[in-house]
Amino acid sequence: MSSHIPAPAHVVDPAGGCPHALNAELRARGPVADVVLPGGVPAAVVVGHDALKEFLSHTDVAKDARHCPALNDGTIPADWPLRVFANAQGMHTADGADHRRLRSLVGNAFTARQVERLRPRMEQLTTSLLDDLGRAAAEDPEGIADLRTHFALPLPLSVICELLGVDAEYRARLHDLTYTVIIATDTTPAEVMAAVRELVELLGTIADARRAAPGDDLTSALIAAREDGGDRLSEAELIGTMRLMLVAGHETTLNLISNAVRALCTHRDQLALVLEGKVTWSDVVDETLRWDGPVSWFPFRYPTRDLALGGRVIPQGTPVLAGYTAAGRDEAFHGPDADRFDVTRPGAARHLSFGQGMHYCMGAPLARLEATIALERLFTRFPDLDLAVPEAELPHQRSFIGNSVQELPVRPVRR
């Protein structure tokens, strides 16, 4: 009988970068990998598709940080930057009845029917932003514009802020703060704590404005639910829910649109299939979510007992990250060509990028609609759009949580 010697834990680089080579290396060791997070915190990441699917739905896995002793007994310091994922109060850190209560308060805003009602506004915004992208490129001597700045960011940011009732004056700052707090992982404790304080204060200001002048928006509805039900939503839960909606409602879609554009520009044969009508823009979105998803390793879930998974045991209370980009290219599930971007791939939609189980992303219909409208309108308007620099030279997000580039210079019109 051969003895299995576990591989040494991978020490996570806080500067992140493109995750795919690392994911392949970790998957070769097995579907679950031991890692050491910044600050010397031992953790695990689930990198295999089947193991991740099982883990995300497992009844013995919790989101509430009280199930992680190291976060509560002083082992992990109070100023650990990744604590923001554990300390936030909202549906993403709640379990059981608490989770159902919080999810029910916002669920109706994100049904497929409700999201479809937003289509005319999304189309209007998309047209306006494409005008802006074209103008920016026309004014540049090289005909170049940053697609993230002019298009991929303002579209989902505007949509989620309009849903939440956030005035335009706050939006740019909210994006900067959410990026610092949630996406960037090369930040210092002081930077994160300062950004968290400012973000909570700003969301409180927005909530106060909606309290004073309620509107037909999600924040006003959450406040009304809190005040009508008395204990339905605490102030911390209100702010936590607003923060979750804001981050999940734009940072992920920003990356999804950016990654899809990069993939299509560097796989012109695949772009031709879509433009010729042989596959749909929904196929492009699903293959992008599988092949280069917007979220790489997402914190945290905690086994409530020693958990057998993927041929090993994850000890009770271990902070575990969901390795979405890793699972998306798992050859054991997606086949030997899992590394290839293929918009005709059967089964691409079985990716796990929106999660699985009771925490499945309720914003999935919104993200899908935004991305399909954005991509269809973008490449209909600018069919020759291409990257302005070689893809290998694009700076990657300094994050092991978010997965995209920091900027995306494009030439909308061939020169």
Side-chain angles (χ1 to χ4, degrees), residues 110-155:
F110 294 98
T111 63
R113 180 182 295 179
Q114 287 296 99
V115 166
E116 186 59 34
R117 289 175 57 190
L118 299 172
R119 179 186 288 273
R121 178 61 181 141
M122 287 185 200
E123 292 176 341
Q124 181 186 27
L125 274 169
T126 300
T127 300
S128 171
L129 292 169
L130 288 174
D131 291 343
D132 183 44
L133 180 71
R135 268 194 306 273
E139 291 167 4
D140 181 79
E142 298 292 321
I144 296 171
D146 182 14
L147 187 116
R148 280 174 75 88
T149 301
H150 292 282
F151 185 64
L153 169 61
L155 176 61

Short mmCIF file of all heavy atoms in Angstrom, two decimals, residues 110-155:
data_model
loop_
_atom_site.label_atom_id
_atom_site.label_comp_id
_atom_site.label_asym_id
_atom_site.label_seq_id
_atom_site.Cartn_x
_atom_site.Cartn_y
_atom_site.Cartn_z
N PHE A 110 -34.44 40.40 -8.62
CA PHE A 110 -33.50 39.77 -9.55
C PHE A 110 -34.09 38.55 -10.25
O PHE A 110 -33.35 37.74 -10.80
CB PHE A 110 -32.21 39.39 -8.81
CG PHE A 110 -31.45 40.59 -8.33
CD1 PHE A 110 -31.56 41.03 -7.02
CD2 PHE A 110 -30.66 41.31 -9.20
CE1 PHE A 110 -30.87 42.15 -6.58
CE2 PHE A 110 -29.96 42.43 -8.77
CZ PHE A 110 -30.07 42.86 -7.46
N THR A 111 -35.41 38.41 -10.24
CA THR A 111 -36.01 37.33 -11.02
C THR A 111 -35.81 37.62 -12.50
O THR A 111 -35.61 38.77 -12.91
CB THR A 111 -37.52 37.21 -10.73
OG1 THR A 111 -38.16 38.43 -11.14
CG2 THR A 111 -37.80 36.96 -9.25
N ALA A 112 -35.89 36.56 -13.31
CA ALA A 112 -35.70 36.74 -14.76
C ALA A 112 -36.70 37.76 -15.31
O ALA A 112 -36.36 38.59 -16.16
CB ALA A 112 -35.84 35.40 -15.47
N ARG A 113 -37.94 37.74 -14.79
CA ARG A 113 -38.96 38.67 -15.29
C ARG A 113 -38.63 40.11 -14.92
O ARG A 113 -38.74 41.02 -15.75
CB ARG A 113 -40.33 38.28 -14.72
CG ARG A 113 -41.46 39.20 -15.18
CD ARG A 113 -42.78 38.81 -14.56
NE ARG A 113 -43.22 37.49 -15.00
CZ ARG A 113 -44.35 36.92 -14.58
NH1 ARG A 113 -45.11 37.53 -13.69
NH2 ARG A 113 -44.70 35.74 -15.03
N GLN A 114 -38.22 40.33 -13.68
CA GLN A 114 -37.88 41.69 -13.25
C GLN A 114 -36.66 42.22 -14.01
O GLN A 114 -36.61 43.38 -14.39
CB GLN A 114 -37.61 41.71 -11.74
CG GLN A 114 -38.86 41.59 -10.88
CD GLN A 114 -39.80 42.77 -11.07
OE1 GLN A 114 -40.78 42.71 -11.81
NE2 GLN A 114 -39.49 43.87 -10.41
N VAL A 115 -35.68 41.35 -14.21
CA VAL A 115 -34.47 41.77 -14.92
C VAL A 115 -34.79 42.11 -16.36
O VAL A 115 -34.28 43.09 -16.91
CB VAL A 115 -33.39 40.65 -14.83
CG1 VAL A 115 -32.27 40.89 -15.83
CG2 VAL A 115 -32.83 40.58 -13.40
N GLU A 116 -35.67 41.34 -16.98
CA GLU A 116 -36.04 41.61 -18.38
C GLU A 116 -36.66 43.00 -18.52
O GLU A 116 -36.50 43.65 -19.56
CB GLU A 116 -37.01 40.53 -18.88
CG GLU A 116 -37.36 40.62 -20.35
CD GLU A 116 -36.16 40.52 -21.30
OE1 GLU A 116 -35.19 39.80 -20.98
OE2 GLU A 116 -36.19 41.19 -22.36
N ARG A 117 -37.32 43.48 -17.48
CA ARG A 117 -37.90 44.83 -17.52
C ARG A 117 -36.82 45.91 -17.63
O ARG A 117 -37.10 47.04 -18.04
CB ARG A 117 -38.74 45.08 -16.26
CG ARG A 117 -40.04 44.27 -16.21
CD ARG A 117 -40.76 44.47 -14.91
NE ARG A 117 -41.05 45.89 -14.63
CZ ARG A 117 -41.51 46.34 -13.48
NH1 ARG A 117 -41.72 45.50 -12.48
NH2 ARG A 117 -41.76 47.62 -13.31
N LEU A 118 -35.58 45.55 -17.25
CA LEU A 118 -34.47 46.52 -17.32
C LEU A 118 -33.84 46.58 -18.71
O LEU A 118 -33.00 47.44 -18.97
CB LEU A 118 -33.39 46.14 -16.31
CG LEU A 118 -33.81 46.11 -14.84
CD1 LEU A 118 -32.69 45.54 -13.98
CD2 LEU A 118 -34.20 47.50 -14.36
N ARG A 119 -34.23 45.67 -19.62
CA ARG A 119 -33.59 45.60 -20.94
C ARG A 119 -33.58 46.95 -21.67
O ARG A 119 -32.52 47.37 -22.16
CB ARG A 119 -34.25 44.52 -21.80
CG ARG A 119 -33.63 44.41 -23.19
CD ARG A 119 -34.40 43.45 -24.08
NE ARG A 119 -34.20 42.07 -23.68
CZ ARG A 119 -33.20 41.29 -24.10
NH1 ARG A 119 -32.29 41.79 -24.94
NH2 ARG A 119 -33.09 40.04 -23.70
N PRO A 120 -34.72 47.66 -21.79
CA PRO A 120 -34.68 48.93 -22.53
C PRO A 120 -33.66 49.92 -21.95
O PRO A 120 -32.96 50.60 -22.71
CB PRO A 120 -36.11 49.46 -22.41
CG PRO A 120 -36.95 48.26 -22.15
CD PRO A 120 -36.08 47.35 -21.34
N ARG A 121 -33.58 50.00 -20.62
CA ARG A 121 -32.62 50.91 -20.00
C ARG A 121 -31.19 50.45 -20.28
O ARG A 121 -30.30 51.27 -20.57
CB ARG A 121 -32.88 50.98 -18.49
CG ARG A 121 -31.90 51.88 -17.73
CD ARG A 121 -31.95 53.31 -18.20
NE ARG A 121 -31.01 54.17 -17.49
CZ ARG A 121 -30.30 55.14 -18.05
NH1 ARG A 121 -30.44 55.40 -19.35
NH2 ARG A 121 -29.47 55.87 -17.34
N MET A 122 -30.93 49.14 -20.21
CA MET A 122 -29.58 48.63 -20.51
C MET A 122 -29.19 48.95 -21.95
O MET A 122 -28.05 49.33 -22.22
CB MET A 122 -29.54 47.11 -20.30
CG MET A 122 -29.56 46.65 -18.87
SD MET A 122 -29.35 44.86 -18.84
CE MET A 122 -29.99 44.50 -17.21
N GLU A 123 -30.13 48.77 -22.87
CA GLU A 123 -29.84 49.04 -24.28
C GLU A 123 -29.56 50.52 -24.51
O GLU A 123 -28.64 50.88 -25.27
CB GLU A 123 -31.01 48.55 -25.15
CG GLU A 123 -31.12 47.03 -25.16
CD GLU A 123 -32.33 46.51 -25.92
OE1 GLU A 123 -33.28 47.30 -26.15
OE2 GLU A 123 -32.32 45.32 -26.30
N GLN A 124 -30.32 51.36 -23.82
CA GLN A 124 -30.10 52.81 -23.93
C GLN A 124 -28.72 53.19 -23.39
O GLN A 124 -27.97 53.95 -24.03
CB GLN A 124 -31.21 53.52 -23.13
CG GLN A 124 -31.15 55.03 -23.16
CD GLN A 124 -32.21 55.64 -22.22
OE1 GLN A 124 -32.62 55.03 -21.24
NE2 GLN A 124 -32.65 56.85 -22.55
N LEU A 125 -28.38 52.67 -22.22
CA LEU A 125 -27.06 52.94 -21.63
C LEU A 125 -25.94 52.43 -22.54
O LEU A 125 -24.93 53.11 -22.74
CB LEU A 125 -26.95 52.25 -20.27
CG LEU A 125 -27.48 52.97 -19.05
CD1 LEU A 125 -27.53 52.02 -17.86
CD2 LEU A 125 -26.61 54.18 -18.71
N THR A 126 -26.12 51.24 -23.09
CA THR A 126 -25.10 50.63 -23.95
C THR A 126 -24.83 51.50 -25.17
O THR A 126 -23.68 51.77 -25.53
CB THR A 126 -25.53 49.22 -24.38
OG1 THR A 126 -25.71 48.41 -23.21
CG2 THR A 126 -24.50 48.56 -25.27
N THR A 127 -25.89 51.97 -25.80
CA THR A 127 -25.74 52.84 -26.98
C THR A 127 -24.97 54.10 -26.63
O THR A 127 -24.05 54.51 -27.35
CB THR A 127 -27.12 53.20 -27.56
OG1 THR A 127 -27.78 51.99 -27.94
CG2 THR A 127 -27.00 54.11 -28.76
N SER A 128 -25.33 54.72 -25.51
CA SER A 128 -24.67 55.94 -25.07
C SER A 128 -23.19 55.71 -24.77
O SER A 128 -22.32 56.50 -25.14
CB SER A 128 -25.40 56.49 -23.84
OG SER A 128 -24.68 57.54 -23.25
N LEU A 129 -22.89 54.59 -24.12
CA LEU A 129 -21.50 54.29 -23.76
C LEU A 129 -20.66 53.93 -24.99
O LEU A 129 -19.47 54.23 -25.04
CB LEU A 129 -21.46 53.17 -22.72
CG LEU A 129 -22.01 53.55 -21.34
CD1 LEU A 129 -22.19 52.32 -20.47
CD2 LEU A 129 -21.11 54.57 -20.66
N LEU A 130 -21.27 53.30 -25.98
CA LEU A 130 -20.55 53.01 -27.22
C LEU A 130 -20.22 54.31 -27.96
O LEU A 130 -19.16 54.43 -28.58
CB LEU A 130 -21.36 52.06 -28.10
CG LEU A 130 -21.44 50.61 -27.60
CD1 LEU A 130 -22.39 49.80 -28.48
CD2 LEU A 130 -20.07 49.96 -27.57
N ASP A 131 -21.14 55.27 -27.89
CA ASP A 131 -20.83 56.61 -28.44
C ASP A 131 -19.61 57.19 -27.74
O ASP A 131 -18.71 57.73 -28.38
CB ASP A 131 -22.03 57.56 -28.24
CG ASP A 131 -23.23 57.19 -29.11
OD1 ASP A 131 -23.05 56.42 -30.07
OD2 ASP A 131 -24.34 57.67 -28.81
N ASP A 132 -19.58 57.05 -26.41
CA ASP A 132 -18.47 57.57 -25.62
C ASP A 132 -17.16 56.87 -25.97
O ASP A 132 -16.11 57.51 -26.11
CB ASP A 132 -18.80 57.39 -24.13
CG ASP A 132 -17.73 57.97 -23.21
OD1 ASP A 132 -17.27 59.10 -23.49
OD2 ASP A 132 -17.35 57.30 -22.23
N LEU A 133 -17.23 55.54 -26.12
CA LEU A 133 -16.03 54.77 -26.49
C LEU A 133 -15.51 55.22 -27.86
O LEU A 133 -14.30 55.44 -28.03
CB LEU A 133 -16.38 53.28 -26.53
CG LEU A 133 -15.23 52.32 -26.89
CD1 LEU A 133 -14.21 52.24 -25.77
CD2 LEU A 133 -15.77 50.93 -27.21
N GLY A 134 -16.41 55.39 -28.81
CA GLY A 134 -16.02 55.83 -30.14
C GLY A 134 -15.40 57.22 -30.13
O GLY A 134 -14.39 57.47 -30.80
N ARG A 135 -15.99 58.12 -29.35
CA ARG A 135 -15.46 59.49 -29.22
C ARG A 135 -14.06 59.49 -28.63
O ARG A 135 -13.16 60.16 -29.10
CB ARG A 135 -16.39 60.35 -28.36
CG ARG A 135 -17.45 61.12 -29.14
CD ARG A 135 -18.09 62.19 -28.27
NE ARG A 135 -18.64 61.67 -27.03
CZ ARG A 135 -19.87 61.17 -26.92
NH1 ARG A 135 -20.67 61.14 -27.98
NH2 ARG A 135 -20.30 60.71 -25.78
N ALA A 136 -13.90 58.70 -27.54
CA ALA A 136 -12.60 58.65 -26.86
C ALA A 136 -11.52 58.15 -27.82
O ALA A 136 -10.40 58.67 -27.83
CB ALA A 136 -12.69 57.75 -25.63
N ALA A 137 -11.84 57.14 -28.62
CA ALA A 137 -10.87 56.61 -29.58
C ALA A 137 -10.57 57.62 -30.68
O ALA A 137 -9.42 57.79 -31.10
CB ALA A 137 -11.38 55.30 -30.17
N ALA A 138 -11.63 58.32 -31.14
CA ALA A 138 -11.46 59.30 -32.22
C ALA A 138 -10.57 60.47 -31.78
O ALA A 138 -9.86 61.06 -32.60
CB ALA A 138 -12.83 59.81 -32.67
N GLU A 139 -10.64 60.80 -30.49
CA GLU A 139 -9.85 61.92 -29.97
C GLU A 139 -8.41 61.53 -29.66
O GLU A 139 -7.58 62.39 -29.40
CB GLU A 139 -10.53 62.49 -28.71
CG GLU A 139 -11.85 63.19 -29.02
CD GLU A 139 -12.68 63.47 -27.77
OE1 GLU A 139 -12.17 63.18 -26.65
OE2 GLU A 139 -13.82 63.94 -27.90
N ASP A 140 -8.12 60.22 -29.65
CA ASP A 140 -6.77 59.75 -29.35
C ASP A 140 -5.96 59.66 -30.65
O ASP A 140 -6.47 59.15 -31.66
CB ASP A 140 -6.85 58.37 -28.69
CG ASP A 140 -5.47 57.84 -28.32
OD1 ASP A 140 -4.93 58.28 -27.30
OD2 ASP A 140 -4.94 57.01 -29.09
N PRO A 141 -4.72 60.16 -30.65
CA PRO A 141 -3.90 60.13 -31.87
C PRO A 141 -3.74 58.72 -32.46
O PRO A 141 -3.63 58.55 -33.67
CB PRO A 141 -2.55 60.69 -31.42
CG PRO A 141 -2.82 61.44 -30.16
CD PRO A 141 -4.01 60.81 -29.53
N GLU A 142 -3.76 57.69 -31.57
CA GLU A 142 -3.58 56.32 -32.02
C GLU A 142 -4.91 55.59 -32.24
O GLU A 142 -4.93 54.41 -32.59
CB GLU A 142 -2.75 55.53 -30.99
CG GLU A 142 -1.34 56.08 -30.78
CD GLU A 142 -0.47 55.87 -32.00
OE1 GLU A 142 -0.57 54.81 -32.64
OE2 GLU A 142 0.29 56.80 -32.33
N GLY A 143 -6.01 56.30 -31.98
CA GLY A 143 -7.33 55.66 -32.14
C GLY A 143 -7.63 54.64 -31.07
O GLY A 143 -8.40 53.69 -31.28
N ILE A 144 -7.05 54.84 -29.87
CA ILE A 144 -7.16 53.86 -28.78
C ILE A 144 -8.03 54.41 -27.65
O ILE A 144 -7.97 55.59 -27.32
CB ILE A 144 -5.76 53.51 -28.23
CG1 ILE A 144 -4.92 52.82 -29.32
CG2 ILE A 144 -5.85 52.62 -26.99
CD1 ILE A 144 -3.47 52.64 -28.94
N ALA A 145 -8.84 53.54 -27.05
CA ALA A 145 -9.61 53.89 -25.85
C ALA A 145 -9.61 52.69 -24.90
O ALA A 145 -9.51 51.54 -25.34
CB ALA A 145 -11.04 54.26 -26.22
N ASP A 146 -9.70 52.96 -23.59
CA ASP A 146 -9.75 51.89 -22.60
C ASP A 146 -11.19 51.39 -22.49
O ASP A 146 -12.07 52.11 -22.02
CB ASP A 146 -9.24 52.38 -21.24
CG ASP A 146 -9.23 51.27 -20.20
OD1 ASP A 146 -9.37 50.09 -20.58
OD2 ASP A 146 -9.12 51.57 -19.00
N LEU A 147 -11.41 50.16 -22.90
CA LEU A 147 -12.77 49.60 -22.91
C LEU A 147 -13.34 49.47 -21.51
O LEU A 147 -14.54 49.62 -21.30
CB LEU A 147 -12.76 48.24 -23.60
CG LEU A 147 -14.16 47.67 -23.81
CD1 LEU A 147 -14.47 47.54 -25.29
CD2 LEU A 147 -14.32 46.32 -23.13
N ARG A 148 -12.49 49.22 -20.52
CA ARG A 148 -13.01 49.09 -19.15
C ARG A 148 -13.53 50.44 -18.65
O ARG A 148 -14.64 50.52 -18.12
CB ARG A 148 -11.91 48.55 -18.21
CG ARG A 148 -11.73 47.05 -18.33
CD ARG A 148 -10.56 46.55 -17.51
NE ARG A 148 -10.79 46.50 -16.08
CZ ARG A 148 -11.33 45.48 -15.41
NH1 ARG A 148 -11.74 44.40 -16.08
NH2 ARG A 148 -11.44 45.49 -14.10
N THR A 149 -12.74 51.49 -18.86
CA THR A 149 -13.13 52.81 -18.37
C THR A 149 -14.39 53.34 -19.05
O THR A 149 -15.28 53.89 -18.40
CB THR A 149 -11.98 53.81 -18.61
OG1 THR A 149 -10.83 53.35 -17.92
CG2 THR A 149 -12.35 55.20 -18.12
N HIS A 150 -14.46 53.17 -20.36
CA HIS A 150 -15.52 53.82 -21.14
C HIS A 150 -16.75 52.95 -21.34
O HIS A 150 -17.79 53.46 -21.75
CB HIS A 150 -14.98 54.26 -22.50
CG HIS A 150 -13.97 55.36 -22.41
ND1 HIS A 150 -14.32 56.67 -22.21
CD2 HIS A 150 -12.61 55.34 -22.47
CE1 HIS A 150 -13.23 57.42 -22.15
NE2 HIS A 150 -12.18 56.63 -22.30
N PHE A 151 -16.64 51.63 -21.06
CA PHE A 151 -17.77 50.76 -21.42
C PHE A 151 -18.04 49.67 -20.39
O PHE A 151 -19.12 49.61 -19.81
CB PHE A 151 -17.50 50.15 -22.80
CG PHE A 151 -18.64 49.32 -23.34
CD1 PHE A 151 -19.86 49.91 -23.64
CD2 PHE A 151 -18.48 47.96 -23.56
CE1 PHE A 151 -20.91 49.14 -24.13
CE2 PHE A 151 -19.53 47.19 -24.05
CZ PHE A 151 -20.75 47.79 -24.35
N ALA A 152 -17.06 48.79 -20.15
CA ALA A 152 -17.30 47.61 -19.32
C ALA A 152 -17.59 47.95 -17.86
O ALA A 152 -18.31 47.22 -17.19
CB ALA A 152 -16.12 46.64 -19.41
N LEU A 153 -17.03 49.06 -17.36
CA LEU A 153 -17.32 49.49 -15.99
C LEU A 153 -18.62 50.30 -15.87
O LEU A 153 -19.49 49.95 -15.07
CB LEU A 153 -16.15 50.28 -15.41
CG LEU A 153 -16.42 51.01 -14.09
CD1 LEU A 153 -16.80 50.04 -12.98
CD2 LEU A 153 -15.22 51.85 -13.66
N PRO A 154 -18.79 51.38 -16.64
CA PRO A 154 -19.97 52.22 -16.40
C PRO A 154 -21.30 51.54 -16.69
O PRO A 154 -22.32 51.92 -16.10
CB PRO A 154 -19.75 53.44 -17.31
CG PRO A 154 -18.71 53.03 -18.29
CD PRO A 154 -17.87 51.99 -17.62
N LEU A 155 -21.32 50.53 -17.56
CA LEU A 155 -22.61 49.86 -17.83
C LEU A 155 -23.16 49.14 -16.59
O LEU A 155 -24.23 49.50 -16.10
CB LEU A 155 -22.48 48.91 -19.03
CG LEU A 155 -23.74 48.09 -19.34
CD1 LEU A 155 -24.92 49.00 -19.69
CD2 LEU A 155 -23.49 47.09 -20.47
#
